[in-house]
Amino acid sequence: GQNIDQPTEMTATEGAIVQINCTYQTSGFNGLFWYQQHAGEAPTFLSYNVLDGLEEKGRFSSFLSRSKGYSYLLLKELQMKDSASYLCAVRDRNYQLIWGAGTKLIIKP
Amino acid sequence: GAGVSQSPRYKVAKRGQDVALRCDPISGHVSLFWYQQALGQGPEFLTYFQNEAQLDKSGLPSDRFFAERPEGSVSTLKIQRTQQEDSAVYLCASSLAPGGMYEQYFGPGTRLTVT
């Protein structure tokens, strides 16, 4: 079966750095997405990786290792508004998105 | 510019009632997806349209679920004879290219509660 694993919840301090990991086992691989979802709101796109390596976009970076079936999302200079769930999703061989359950990130002052 | 919109935002239905959920995608977006999201979980794929063609409906949980996109724009997800296990947020997403090649833009969702 297809499986996406990410931690259920993480806590970090305002101004610090946090890394959210995602491991996956899917039928084929056509890219990995990270989305942010605030409570009661729609997921919003953060990043996309299809080749190995690091993609940097402002305070957010995402890393991919296809051989290890592993990705992480790195958030720097954390702000209170970063408190949200972070969803990892893999596009499989049929171009269907397989979603993880999300990591709830709690930012403390 | 206008994003994806969904209506109603909240729907309470009595068990056994039929419901219809509407999605207005971003204008010009070819792909449209429906997802079901339970509390504390990621979205679960229901069905996919490329223009008016329903190319994948493998995620629909039962034959009580039906979706259409007759003119390749607005889509409706219909649930017949609702059951309590249908209670969830139903998300619609659209994407510019076929097959979800690019990122998907999500609507705010419809929270369905079946009592």
Side-chain angles (χ1 to χ4, degrees), chain A residues 35 37 42 91 95-97 99-100, chain B residues 37 42-43 56 99-101 104 107:
Chain A
Y35 279 79
Q37 187 175 28
R91 194 163 55 200
Y95 287 89
Q96 188 177 116
L97 275 184
W99 294 80
Chain B
Q37 187 174 26
D56 188 345
M101 288 293 294
Q104 297 178 18

Side-chain angles (χ1 to χ4, degrees), chain B residues 7-85:
Chain B
S7 61
R9 290 293 313 277
Y10 303 91
K11 176 70 178 177
V12 178
K14 291 187 177 177
R15 191 163 52 119
Q17 279 185 329
D18 297 349
V19 298
L21 313 180
R22 177 188 169 107
C23 172
D24 284 81
I26 294 173
S27 178
H29 276 198
V30 168
S31 296
L32 187 145
F33 303 82
W34 282 100
Y35 293 92
Q36 181 189 62
Q37 187 174 26
L39 190 65
Q41 299 296 315
E44 294 276 349
F45 171 81
L46 293 177
T47 187
Y48 162 63
F49 289 85
Q50 182 177 312
N51 296 309
E52 69 277 6
Q54 188 175 22
L55 298 187
D56 188 345
K57 54 181 181 180
S58 62
L60 295 176
S62 78
D63 59 7
R64 297 186 294 105
F65 286 70
F66 171 78
E68 60 183 5
R69 194 187 185 197
E71 297 177 0
S73 178
V74 171
S75 177
T76 304
L77 176 68
K78 297 179 180 178
I79 309 173
Q80 297 177 322
R81 305 181 302 282
T82 53
Q83 303 294 315
Q84 284 192 320
E85 62 261 29

Side-chain angles (χ1 to χ4, degrees), chain A residues 14-90:
Chain A
E14 189 177 16
I17 299 173
V18 71
Q19 177 174 313
I20 302 174
N21 296 324
C22 170
T23 57
Y24 62 89
Q25 290 177 307
T26 55
S27 303
F29 178 85
N30 280 300
L32 185 145
F33 294 82
W34 284 95
Y35 279 79
Q36 181 191 59
Q37 187 175 28
H38 285 98
E41 298 183 11
T44 54
F45 170 77
L46 287 178
S47 69
Y48 170 66
N49 295 68
V50 67
L51 299 176
D52 291 351
L54 188 68
E55 293 282 341
E56 297 187 80
K57 190 185 292 186
R59 295 189 298 114
F60 293 3
S61 303
S62 56
F63 171 83
L64 174 67
S65 168
R66 288 171 297 171
S67 62
K68 295 181 179 178
Y70 167 71
S71 172
Y72 67 73
L73 180 70
L74 191 72
L75 293 76
K76 303 175 186 176
E77 301 168 16
L78 286 170
Q79 302 174 9
M80 298 302 292
K81 67 178 182 179
D82 297 330
S83 292
S85 285
Y86 291 85
L87 298 159
C88 172
V90 172

